[in-house]
Amino acid sequence: MTVLSVLDAAGRRRSPATMPGYHAGRPPRNKGMRYPADPPTVEEIVAVMRHAADDRHGWRVRAMIIVLWRAGLRVQEALALAEHDLGPRRGSILVRNGKGGRRREVGMDEWGWEQLRPWLDARVQLPVGPLFCIIDGPTRGRPWSGAAVRSEFRRLAVRAGVRRRFAPHQLRHAHAVELAREGVPLNIIQRQLGHANLGTTSIYLQGIDPEEIITAVHARRAPMMSASAGLRL
């Protein structure tokens, strides 16, 4: 009996890794790994959106990209949204249960709401449930999964020729970096992202290209001083 349990259907010895319970108690190999702050550019994000199909499946993935990129949500926050959490007139999205159980409201720009509209119109034809749901089959209307979102992002990024990592959290980094470039105060970016402290927000801004930093500092004006206070060597 013991011998049979370690042989496959062809009579070959099975690898221990295929045996039930082999991985029990072991932490995931990528647990705790931190990826560098390397957010995709606007051009790369738009290229991925353009490669999504012009149907309900494509509208759904584009809508997901939008709420991650233009509102800075975490993927699980986006997947937990209900239709009534959206406030297009006010330009707000209600996050009912963010990280640490914190509730917050975030803003989203007019262009973002326009891109969201095709999916919102299609969503009303599906059973009541989460904003981002399964479209076809007996589970239609049920929650879409984070794994499915990541898989779809990877597939579209390959089709679009995007070479860098294109994952949900990278779009959140892109949101933070773009707000900083536009001169939005750090404390507002912190509140938008739902960070408990500014230190975490600062980590997100490490995705700013060093060339931008060099250019900005190089372009500084000379120090202002009185004409009588000239430097003497």
Side-chain angles (χ1 to χ4, degrees):
M1 191 71 174
T2 304
V3 175
L4 291 176
S5 66
V6 297
L7 300 179
D8 63 16
R12 295 171 298 196
R13 183 175 294 277
R14 292 173 58 183
S15 165
T18 67
M19 303 296 288
Y22 179 78
H23 296 286
R26 299 188 183 194
R29 285 183 296 177
N30 63 348
K31 185 176 179 61
M33 287 180 62
R34 292 184 178 275
Y35 290 96
D38 184 29
T41 64
V42 171
E43 292 77 14
E44 288 171 333
I45 298 171
V46 171
V48 171
M49 291 177 65
R50 284 176 174 163
H51 277 78
D54 190 20
D55 57 19
R56 293 188 302 178
H57 293 272
W59 301 332
R60 180 184 60 181
V61 74
R62 281 201 293 265
M64 176 59 76
I65 290 172
I66 286 298
V67 297
L68 300 176
W69 173 34
R70 305 304 295 182
L73 298 191
R74 300 175 177 92
V75 66
Q76 292 306 322
E77 293 173 343
L79 290 170
L81 289 174
E83 294 173 73
H84 55 264
D85 291 330
L86 306 182
R89 289 189 179 182
R90 188 160 168 251
S92 66
I93 297 176
L94 175 61
V95 178
R96 296 180 180 275
N97 190 22
K99 193 170 183 178
R102 291 186 293 271
R103 176 188 176 107
R104 75 183 190 281
E105 272 193 293
V106 303
M108 192 167 75
D109 61 283
E110 287 295 333
W111 182 83
W113 288 105
E114 290 173 10
Q115 304 308 309
L116 204 59
R117 178 55 54 192
W119 170 243
L120 296 182
D121 291 342
R123 181 64 185 83
V124 298
Q125 306 300 322
L126 296 166
V128 174
L131 175 65
F132 293 102
C133 66
I134 296 171
I135 294 173
D136 300 313
T139 58
R140 63 196 300 266
R142 302 273 183 87
W144 202 21
S145 73
V149 173
R150 292 181 180 89
S151 176
E152 190 69 7
F153 279 15
R154 286 193 298 269
R155 183 183 69 82
L156 289 174
V158 169
R159 288 185 59 194
V162 175
R163 302 282 295 174
R164 81 176 81 223
R165 182 170 178 264
F166 194 89
H169 215 66
Q170 299 299 88
L171 295 176
R172 185 168 149 84
H173 277 276
H175 180 69
V177 167
E178 290 171 19
L179 291 182
R181 287 185 184 133
E182 293 162 16
V184 176
L186 189 59
N187 64 319
I188 293 180
I189 299 176
Q190 176 195 3
R191 294 284 297 275
Q192 172 79 0
L193 296 176
H195 288 155
N197 59 72
L198 285 172
T200 305
T201 308
S202 298
I203 293 172
Y204 275 56
L205 302 185
Q206 291 175 2
I208 293 177
D209 191 324
E211 191 63 34
E212 294 181 56
I213 300 170
I214 294 167
T215 301
V217 177
H218 182 71
R220 293 179 70 201
R221 296 174 58 184
M224 301 299 290
M225 65 187 78
S226 168
S228 61
L231 295 176
R232 295 181 181 178
L233 299 177

